[in-house]
Structures are given as structure tokens and as C-alpha cells.
Amino acid sequence: MKYERFIAQRFLPKDRNSYSGPLVGIATYSIALGVLVMIMAVCILRGFQSEIRSKVVGFGSHLVVSSYSMGNLNEEEPISTTRPEVQRIASTQGVKHVGFFASKGGMIKTADQIHGIILKGVDANYDSTFFASHMVQGHLMQLSDTATSNQVVISDAVARKLNIALGDKLRTYFWQGETYRARAFEVCGIYRTDLTDFDEHYILGDLRQVQKLSNWDSTQVQGYEVLVQDFRQINSIADQVLNQLSYDLTLETIVQQNPALFSWLDLLDSNIVLIILIMTLVCTVSIISALLIMIFEKTSTIGILKTLGATSGGIRRIFLIKSASIISRGILLGNAVALLLCWIQSHFHLIRLDSASYSMDYVPIQLSPAIFLLISLGTLAVCLLALLLPTSYISRIHPAKTIRVN
């Protein structure tokens, strides 16, 4: 064992009656608190971003391919499901699923209310994972390849506003040119995502219903919905898919369809950076204060070590070893408490939110080992780098003065 580590383990950690003892404890708990706040902040904000992003994608998809001449919901230009682009898109690297959809704007009419809606029609191959996970009553539509289903899924917000219950009949009207068409649907399920702008308008039904309302045949749809395997690669995959399309087709990403929402989610990253900077500063100030007090308190010991032949660099390493020990204990404590709190919240949802304001009814948590590891290593590295300057004071301590004074 090198003498620096030996001395650091002997006379620095155990001196409970020194002035530095309480300050070392304060520094340890300050670092633990800083690491705890950083981890919790990142896990919560990442969880919030992931939850909102998944809900928005759930109502559509990562990528949408449609006709280049697509107009409003009353003047759709259909595209065919038999086009060669479908197979080329499905075989593109990074693409998870390709589905077909068509939407139709209309309204629900009850005895005393009228409510505008968008009927989204999907087929039997639709990836229903999102809606299945947000069902609060009933079930999804029973779709087949042969018969047209009369079932629809509506949101809890629409059901409460119009006083509609599971199994009720919906009287709906859809504009077609200068006239309208009436349809009666049966409510087979009720979902809730807490995304007000979407819950208030979207109902889910059979693709064939929209095709009939629009006078399309069974091969004509409004567009293709493309799900990707990794959201972080959405732009590069979008470029690959775009290269597969003919001139009369266009592509939009979910980010391009909802620019304001995703810009707001990106702004949360700046909050994460700000919190990390502040907490890192707190950790750094705490450990620097503890180190300086230790150096001042051990001035005579430093003088003796220099008299015995120790170099200033070796003595600096003694204090850096002690500081690393304090920082490590604080980091481990902060990690342990953060992991416990994150696990409790992710499993029991103890901290609740106002769903009308936050689009979810509990604080979301995204647990990731990478978050814990990066924050821990980053805190350790920044704190140790910050200690290089105060430890330079050791080189200014002269053995003759310190031994004579003491």
C-alpha cells in the first residue's frame, strides 16, 4: 500500500473531535442530497417526456405516409394499400410496423348536445398496444378481415361530457361533399389518456366504416402509419423511408405534426441541465469547504510529513484520497435513497398529479442504470477536479513555520 493511502486511512477519517469532523459529515450529506435531487429530477423529467411522447405517438405513429395532395378531412385523396412502397417501407431497417388508417371528421349528436369528433379507422393488423393499455372500461373493437364492425372506442372525457355509457348507441354524422351521412355505432370500450386535446375528439373504429363514408374501395386508405423501433433514430429512418416513396407521396414525422408539443418537451432538457449544474455546484462547494478545513487543521502534520521527506504532490494525494472517500460515500447514499424513492413511486404511484394540468395522474419515473451511473461518475469527476485548486495550498506550507508555531 502506498503511504498516501495508508496515512489517509489512519488519521483523516476517524478524528471525531476535530473541527473538520462535523463539516465532513455535512459535506457527505450535501453530496448525497445533491446526487439524490439530480437523479430524481432526471428520472422524473425523462419519465414525463417519455409518457407524453408515447401518448402522442399512440394516437398516430412515428411516421405518417400520405398523398402529396392531401387536403382537409372532408376532401381526402386516398392512396392504395397495394402500392409497392408498402413492402419497401416495411423492409426498411429500423421500421417496426406498418399499418393503414383513414380518418373522418364528424360529430356525435345526443338528445341535447352536439360534439365534434374525428373517427379514426383502423384494420385488424392495427398495433393496439397503446389503446389496450389505456382502457378503463370494456374492450377494443373486434375486427376481422371479412365483416365490417359497428363497434367504436371513445374516450372517458367524451363519455362523461355526453353522458354515454358502455354499450350505448352513438348517433354520428359525417360530412361528405355538400351533404352528410349518418351512422350508428355501439360503444364497446372507453379509454383515458389524459391528453385533453386528443381525448376530446378521437374515437377509434373500423377502417371499413371510414372507407364507406368516403366512397372508397377496400384497398384505399388515407395513409400508412409507420412505427420505428427507436424514437431517437426517427429522423434517420424518416430519411430512409422518404427515399422509398414515389413523387405523389409525402411523409411527416410525429414531431412535424406536433411541433409545439415536442418543442415544449425539448425545453425540459434545459431544466434538467440547470438542476444538474446547481446541484453539482452545491456538491463542489461542500467538499471544497470540508477539504480546506481539513488542510488548515492538519497544517502541523503536513509540516512534519514534509520534514520526513514527503513531497507536496504526495500530500495532495492524501487529501484527494480522503476527499474521494467522502464524495463516494455521499454518492452511494444518494444513489441508494434515489433508487428506493424511484422504485416506490414507479410501483405505487404515491405522488399524484392533476391530470387536467399535467396530462397524467401521477408522477412518472423512468428508471435507467445509465442515469445513475452517469450522474455518479460525473459528480465524482467534477468534485475531484474542483479540488485540485484548493489542494495547491499545500505546496505553500513551510515545515519550519508550522513546526515552530506548534
Side-chain angles (χ1 to χ4, degrees), residues 70-81:
M70 181 66 66
N72 58 50
L73 289 179
N74 295 322
E75 300 175 354
E76 301 94 342
E77 183 70 26
I79 58 178
S80 175
T81 59

Side-chain angles (χ1 to χ4, degrees), residues 276-288:
I276 290 177
L277 289 176
I278 293 174
M279 290 299 103
T280 303
L281 180 62
V282 170
C283 295
T284 303
V285 170
S286 299
I287 193 61
I288 288 177

